[in-house]
């Protein structure tokens, strides 16, 4: 997706040639017009699939997921990283490690939101080692539902996540695939 790649080039900040900070349009400040274009691209990439729900993880995947859900007219669910006091004990859980934050979390989704027979599109902002997406897929499968595919905004292709998910049988569609970082520049696949 050329528009996304251009924003990464102009507004992304590379840290230590290993991390990409996109706070100005995706992770802290959100560009709604760009999020809508990304949502349209996901709808186009998964055209023909029967999607009944979208699942993401809090918080950076929510904006893109909402735009995609708006276009598809399906509910958007987000897995929580911390259990609120009002959440029942009736939840699906998975343990995931965040490469960016360097910590593990138990993510959870209330069982009332994903049912057997649902066809779920998973959307996430970044794909590095594939832990978050694999955890979300695990939750979908615990519910007896089907993972239609995994939509990723930015994939770090030099890390094993995409291969891990593909080897597990999931369809992965990444909008911007980064081959490497060098001299403060992003090199796309």
């Amino acid at each position: 997706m050329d528009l996304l790649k251009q924003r990464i080039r102009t507004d992304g900040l590379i840290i230590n040639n290993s991390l990409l900070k996109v706070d100005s349009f995706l992770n802290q400040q959100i560009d709604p017009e760009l999020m809508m274009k990304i949502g349209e691209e996901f709808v186009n990439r998964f055209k023909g699939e029967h999607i009944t729900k979208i699942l993401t993880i809090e918080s950076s995947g929510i904006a893109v997921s909402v735009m995609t859900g708006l276009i598809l007219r399906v509910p958007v669910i987000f897995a929580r990283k911390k259990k609120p006091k009002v959440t029942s004990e009736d939840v699906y859980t998975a343990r995931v490690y965040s490469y960016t934050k360097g910590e593990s979390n138990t993510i959870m989704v209330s069982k009332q939101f994903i049912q057997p027979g649902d066809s779920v599109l998973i959307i996430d902002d970044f794909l590095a080692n594939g832990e978050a997406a694999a955890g979300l897929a695990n939750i979908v499968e615990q519910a007896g539902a089907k993972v239609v595919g995994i939509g990723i905004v930015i994939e770090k292709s030099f890390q094993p996540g995409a291969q891990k998910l593909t080897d597990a049988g999931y369809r992965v569609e990444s909008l911007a695939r980064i081959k490497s970082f060098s001299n403060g520049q992003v090199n796309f696949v």
Side-chain angles (χ1 to χ4, degrees):
M1 183 176 176
D2 291 335
L3 179 62
L4 175 60
K5 290 177 183 176
Q6 185 58 39
R7 283 301 293 274
I8 292 168
R9 281 187 184 108
T10 59
D11 297 334
L13 176 63
I14 300 164
I15 301 168
N16 298 327
N17 277 331
S18 64
L19 295 174
L20 174 65
K21 190 172 181 178
V22 289
D23 286 1
S24 67
F25 62 90
L26 179 63
N27 295 123
Q28 187 163 22
Q29 175 174 275
I30 296 169
D31 179 336
E33 290 180 15
L34 179 60
M35 296 305 106
M36 182 57 85
K37 294 287 186 194
I38 290 170
E40 290 168 355
E41 184 66 22
F42 279 135
V43 169
N44 187 45
R45 298 237 183 152
F46 290 98
K47 189 180 224 169
E49 295 287 352
H50 175 67
I51 299 168
T52 61
K53 306 260 173 85
I54 294 172
L55 177 62
T56 191
I57 193 167
E58 67 177 350
S59 66
S60 297
I62 294 174
V64 172
S65 296
V66 167
M67 296 303 188
T68 308
L70 181 65
I71 298 164
L72 291 173
R73 298 183 183 271
V74 300
V76 174
I77 304 156
F78 65 89
R80 293 183 178 271
K81 294 177 186 171
K82 293 190 170 136
K83 186 175 180 184
K85 291 180 182 179
V86 295
T87 299
S88 75
E89 295 295 321
D90 208 15
V91 295
Y92 299 112
T93 64
R95 191 92 174 133
V96 299
Y97 177 78
S98 169
Y99 175 81
T100 306
K101 294 181 180 159
E103 65 184 27
S104 291
N105 289 298
T106 298
I107 59 171
M108 64 197 76
V109 172
S110 176
K111 289 183 178 181
Q112 75 185 68
F113 297 128
I114 304 176
Q115 304 297 317
D118 274 325
S119 297
V120 181
L121 173 60
I122 293 169
I123 293 179
D124 203 5
D125 61 338
F126 272 93
L127 175 59
N129 292 319
E131 295 287 323
L136 292 170
N138 180 275
I139 284 174
V140 171
E141 290 162 359
Q142 287 177 51
K146 175 187 172 189
V147 176
V148 171
I150 299 172
I152 301 296
V153 179
I154 302 169
E155 173 191 324
K156 294 179 181 176
S157 298
F158 56 89
Q159 291 183 273
Q163 190 64 53
K164 174 181 169 184
L165 295 170
T166 302
D167 289 348
Y170 300 112
R171 175 182 172 193
V172 178
E173 291 285 340
S174 300
L175 304 187
R177 297 179 63 222
I178 297 172
K179 179 172 60 174
S180 65
F181 300 120
S182 59
N183 300 319
Q185 300 295 314
V186 177
N187 304 303
F188 292 102
V189 172

